[in-house]
Amino acid sequence: MNKYCYWWLLPLLVCLLAACGDDEYHYPPVKLEFLTACSGADGSLQSVLTDEGKTFPVVEDLSSLKIAADTSVRIVANYADAVAVDGTAGVKLYASMKVVSPVPQTADKFENGIKTNPADILSIWLGLDYLNITLQVKEDGQHLLHFIEDKVMVDAATGQSDVYVTLYHESDQSMTSYTRRAYASMPLRQYAVEGVRKVTVHFSLRTYSGDIKTYDIEYIPSL
């Protein structure tokens, strides 16, 4: 495997807007969500797709996040509703960061072996063809996250697929300090093969208590 996905821990993407003395002015509500962001020819973010399936143009991007030209990536962002000059409904990004979102790989694809350092899950839920995960980790410094595809079982008669995935987590455990959050988003669309009507994802990780914890999430592929 030539490339892993590195994650620089996010302290917490929160932009708190304070009033500036004008009681008549109300700041728009700011949301913190996972989004799929699409770039233009210059690599700047041009639009976002929410996990509810709605696409909005980026009216303003205060984060100035740049990605490869004409591509899409998963991000976690603070944003608010905004209106473009032509009156089109869009979004204003206050802060954004790319999210670890690699397609799961089988164990043999990890050239240096698999690593399963502990982590705890704060929340896990389905997005639009993604499994979104908010993790809590104790070590400071650089963390390396990926997804290990342990097994895929498909029952052609029922259209049921069971996907077993383990969190790959490599970190410098000698630098234990305080807890931080990390965000990951696992693509699921590759499991929506012909004939599969429901996918149950069995997502496992090793926790700080020493246990292996498994979360069973049902995914119904969109047409």
Side-chain angles (χ1 to χ4, degrees):
M1 186 171 184
N2 296 323
K3 186 176 181 182
Y4 293 104
C5 292
Y6 287 88
W7 177 254
W8 296 94
L9 287 175
L10 194 61
L12 193 55
L13 278 176
V14 177
C15 294
L16 296 177
L17 302 180
C20 297
D22 184 356
D23 294 336
E24 298 301 318
Y25 186 81
H26 299 282
Y27 287 94
V30 178
K31 310 166 190 175
L32 175 63
E33 293 182 1
F34 283 77
L35 303 167
T36 299
C38 300
S39 66
D42 64 350
S44 62
L45 304 187
Q46 299 296 308
S47 64
V48 296
L49 173 65
T50 71
D51 278 357
E52 288 72 44
K54 297 179 180 179
T55 300
F56 297 100
V58 175
V59 175
E60 186 177 3
D61 182 9
L62 297 180
S63 70
S64 301
L65 179 64
K66 293 280 188 176
I67 62 175
D70 300 315
T71 57
S72 65
V73 297
R74 290 290 281 176
I75 65 171
V76 60
N78 279 111
Y79 73 99
D81 297 334
V83 179
V85 176
D86 62 0
T88 302
V91 299
K92 179 178 181 178
L93 300 177
Y94 289 96
S96 61
M97 195 172 192
K98 288 190 286 186
V99 169
V100 172
S101 58
V103 173
Q105 301 289 331
T106 53
D108 61 296
K109 298 293 177 56
F110 294 85
E111 296 174 351
N112 298 319
I114 59 175
K115 308 292 183 181
T116 57
N117 291 149
D120 288 329
I121 286 186
L122 293 177
S123 56
I124 182 168
W125 72 100
L126 282 178
L128 183 65
D129 296 325
Y130 287 90
L131 181 61
N132 297 323
I133 307 162
T134 302
L135 296 163
Q136 180 171 276
V137 294
K138 291 185 178 180
E139 300 88 2
D140 198 359
Q142 181 174 280
H143 289 243
L144 187 59
L145 300 177
H146 210 299
F147 304 112
I148 308 163
E149 184 183 275
D150 299 312
K151 182 169 56 174
V152 177
M153 302 173 62
V154 178
D155 187 332
T158 63
Q160 166 72 34
S161 177
D162 287 274
V163 177
Y164 295 82
V165 177
T166 299
L167 177 69
Y168 178 103
H169 180 204
E170 181 178 357
S171 62
D172 184 358
Q173 294 186 302
S174 66
M175 299 180 66
T176 300
S177 56
Y178 49 86
T179 60
R180 284 185 170 185
R181 293 186 181 187
Y183 299 90
S185 194
M186 188 177 83
L188 299 175
R189 192 64 189 172
Q190 70 275 8
Y191 298 118
V193 297
E194 185 177 355
V196 170
R197 295 191 292 273
K198 183 175 74 173
V199 178
T200 300
V201 180
H202 307 276
F203 182 82
S204 300
L205 79 164
R206 186 160 65 91
T207 68
Y208 285 109
S209 65
D211 299 327
I212 302 298
K213 192 164 186 179
T214 300
Y215 296 81
D216 299 321
I217 309 292
E218 287 192 355
Y219 163 60
I220 306 299
S222 55
L223 297 177

